[in-house]
Amino acid sequence: MKKSLRILGYVVGLLVLAVAGFATYVAARGIPNYDLQPAPLAAIEATPGRVELGEKLVLASCADCHRNAKTNSLSGQQLMDLTPDFGKVYSANITQDKTHGIGNWSDAQLVSLLRTGVGPNGRFRVIMPNFVHMSDEDMASVVAFLRSDNALVRATPTPSHAQEPSFLLKALTNTVMKPTPAPTAPIAAPPATNAVAYGNYLVVGRYKCYECHSKDFGTNNSLEPARSEGYLGGGNALLNMQGETVLSRNITSEPETGIGDWTEAQFAQAVKFGMTPHGPLAYPMPKYSRLTDEEVHALYAYLQTVPKIKNATPEDGVVAVR
Ligand code: HEC
Ligand code: HEC
């Protein structure tokens, strides 16, 4: 045998051993735990204003995943719109039940989980989105609502389902899917009078439109959202409840493939009620029916300022693939 071939043989052998070692490690370790203490936090005061805003935010950003049709509360369910490559993932019971829900969690524990993805026992919550750039006031409003007497969060004694992650999901959580660092300074939303800055906040902090509307969850940059690949240019392959692919759309102001030719009134109809010049919008595009005119205006103003991307999706006559 030639010497070079023999060396190649050793290299391949070592690689196989390394891969097998990593696979055994991942399979045994599963989804990793993290030693993370929640940052101290003064108890959150549940003012009526916060509870009302919190309801709007939870309906917009949490209920699609956490609402259970049988209990009609946020008692958790299997996520049907997740790729089967990740195994079976279940959202948790986040009602006030003290055993099965979050009734016994402190405000600091809740906020820490929402910011970083790591829960009280150190377990990293998978697929649960992180709310890194949400303002402290919005965060307080979400928590105030979770503690309110609204029927969605009343104590529901349904145990959360254990996760059934695939090997792929375990491998990802041991490599690229990591907790996000907790913020080190207070986070305030810009004033609504500065429409562009406020719109930017809504897109990356409050509603996180960019997560679905950039190229791919895998290349999103949660610490610096505007650096996500294809920022707001659409084409992210999402799934509906039947597991069919629905591509997100280009919401930059590129005139042909984006929404550059839309009026603000058309934009408002689309984000609030799912009605567009091309017809109705389907799940998973949320219906933000409670958006204020101020919010719609800010979103529209900001989207006109982001770099235009030319990227056609089905409403432009392209057939969905994958
Ligand atoms: C994309 C779907 C999705 C969205 C949107 C979502 N969650 Fe979750 N959430 C999950 C999943 C899945 C888990 C369970 C993860 C695990 O156990 O590893 C979870 C876990 C949690 C937990 C931890 C509960 C426990 O007992 O471990 C809390 C609290 C929570 N979510 C609150 C929220 C709030 C508040 C919002 C909105 C601001 C929200 N979630 C939005 C999917 C989602
Ligand atoms: C959970 C993922 C998700 C989130 C979050 C989301 N969208 Fe969408 N959006 C979609 C999908 C998917 C479509 C395409 C639906 C279809 O094909 O019927 C869409 C379509 C749209 C359209 C229609 C564009 C066109 O050309 O027809 C607009 C406008 C839009 N979204 C704006 C927003 C804004 C603004 C936000 C944040 C306030 C947002 N979306 C948040 C998934 C999402």
Side-chain angles (χ1 to χ4, degrees):
M1 210 199 282
K2 273 201 193 139
K3 194 176 170 202
S4 60
L5 269 185
R6 205 162 54 220
I7 292 174
L8 186 68
Y10 288 140
V11 172
V12 170
L14 274 177
L15 269 178
V16 168
L17 272 181
V19 169
F22 177 71
T24 316
Y25 169 77
V26 162
R29 191 172 185 228
I31 292 168
N33 272 36
Y34 292 86
D35 184 14
L36 187 146
Q37 296 310 316
L41 182 82
I44 289 172
E45 195 195 337
T47 61
R50 279 181 173 167
V51 172
E52 197 189 329
L53 176 62
E55 176 175 5
K56 165 168 145 172
L57 300 184
V58 168
L59 286 174
S61 301
C62 324
D64 277 348
C65 282
H66 281 276
R67 179 186 260 147
N68 182 301
K70 285 195 203 103
T71 61
N72 204 22
S73 66
L74 303 183
S75 65
Q77 58 165 351
Q78 186 184 347
L79 302 184
M80 301 308 291
D81 52 353
L82 186 75
T83 165
D85 296 346
F86 284 172
K88 290 186 185 164
V89 172
Y90 304 80
S91 65
N93 183 337
I94 57 167
T95 72
Q96 290 157 19
D97 190 275
K98 288 196 179 345
T99 312
H100 303 296
I102 52 150
N104 272 336
W105 290 36
S106 68
D107 291 349
Q109 286 172 327
L110 265 175
V111 169
S112 176
L113 169 81
L114 292 170
R115 294 282 192 211
T116 67
V118 178
N121 47 10
R123 191 167 64 80
F124 179 44
R125 270 42 169 189
V126 277
I127 309 302
M128 163 69 196
N130 56 47
F131 295 86
V132 196
H133 303 286
M134 187 180 264
S135 72
D136 295 330
E137 187 51 36
D138 281 2
M139 187 60 86
S141 302
V142 166
V143 172
F145 175 74
L146 294 178
R147 309 264 194 232
S148 75
D149 58 8
N150 190 287
L152 276 181
V153 291
R154 68 179 187 276
T156 310
T158 315
S160 294
H161 202 291
Q163 306 302 345
E164 300 169 41
S166 65
F167 176 77
L168 173 67
L169 185 55
K170 286 185 202 163
L172 288 172
T173 56
N174 278 281
T175 48
V176 288
M177 286 183 180
K178 297 271 173 176
T180 23
T184 48
I187 306 178
T193 44
N194 184 345
V196 171
Y198 189 56
N200 185 358
Y201 169 68
L202 299 180
V203 165
V204 305
R206 181 179 277 181
Y207 298 116
K208 302 215 300 176
C209 321
Y210 87 92
E211 278 204 334
C212 290
H213 280 279
S214 301
K215 189 175 177 197
D216 192 293
F217 288 123
T219 49
N220 278 346
N221 185 331
S222 57
L223 290 180
E224 293 175 86
R227 301 183 73 165
S228 302
E229 215 172 297
Y231 181 63
L232 300 174
N236 192 354
L238 309 175
L239 297 181
N240 65 15
M241 290 296 186
Q242 287 72 46
E244 298 154 348
T245 300
V246 184
L247 294 184
S248 71
R249 296 186 182 174
N250 186 343
I251 58 170
T252 70
S253 61
E254 202 282 319
E256 275 170 49
T257 61
I259 58 167
D261 54 344
W262 290 25
T263 63
E264 188 171 323
Q266 286 172 324
F267 176 75
Q269 286 295 309
V271 286
K272 290 173 77 170
F273 310 115
M275 293 306 302
T276 81
H278 319 283
L281 293 175
Y283 184 88
M285 170 64 194
K287 286 191 176 56
Y288 297 97
S289 56
R290 298 191 186 196
L291 282 187
T292 61
D293 293 347
E294 216 171 36
E295 287 180 304
V296 171
H297 177 68
L299 285 167
Y300 186 76
Y302 170 66
L303 290 176
Q304 286 183 317
T305 68
V306 305
K308 297 183 179 62
I309 294 178
K310 192 164 188 139
N311 181 30
T313 42
E315 81 288 3
D316 306 304
V318 170
V319 181
V321 282
R322 271 217 233 178

